[in-house]
Amino acid sequence: NNAQIEDVVTLEEHRSRGYASALVVHVADEARRGGADFVFLVADDEDWPKDLYRQLGFEPVGLYWKFVRLPG
């Protein structure tokens, strides 16, 4: 079983208090307890959250590609 964590956002007036970090760790732990063998999230390689996720114990496992074909 797999579990994906996505769309974690903190309201601006509540940022820098560790709420999102605590939530991500809690949800990952709950997913494991619920039987998930693989718990993952997706982060942009060019953005800061990937560093936070590493601090929370997540390890990079690969790259994710998106493709678009524009009209014409």
Side-chain angles (χ1 to χ4, degrees), residues 5-34:
I5 300 170
E6 59 180 283
D7 297 332
V8 177
V9 180
T10 305
L11 293 173
E12 190 171 340
E13 61 268 21
H14 297 286
R15 291 184 184 155
S16 300
R17 297 181 186 172
Y19 297 145
S21 295
L23 180 63
V24 168
V25 169
H26 177 74
V27 169
D29 290 345
E30 284 296 310
R32 290 272 188 200
R33 280 192 282 280

Side-chain angles (χ1 to χ4, degrees), residues 8 14 42 47 51 55 61 64 66:
V8 177
H14 297 286
V42 177
D47 206 356
D51 299 322
Q55 290 176 337
V61 295
Y64 176 73
K66 288 185 181 181

Side-chain angles (χ1 to χ4, degrees), residues 64-72:
Y64 176 73
W65 295 81
K66 288 185 181 181
F67 296 90
V68 64
R69 183 173 180 196
L70 300 174

Side-chain angles (χ1 to χ4, degrees), residues 43-68:
D44 188 336
D45 192 45
E46 305 281 324
D47 206 356
W48 65 267
K50 72 173 192 218
D51 299 322
L52 172 63
Y53 299 142
R54 276 194 178 137
Q55 290 176 337
L56 297 178
F58 288 87
E59 296 290 331
V61 295
L63 297 175
Y64 176 73
W65 295 81
K66 288 185 181 181
F67 296 90
V68 64

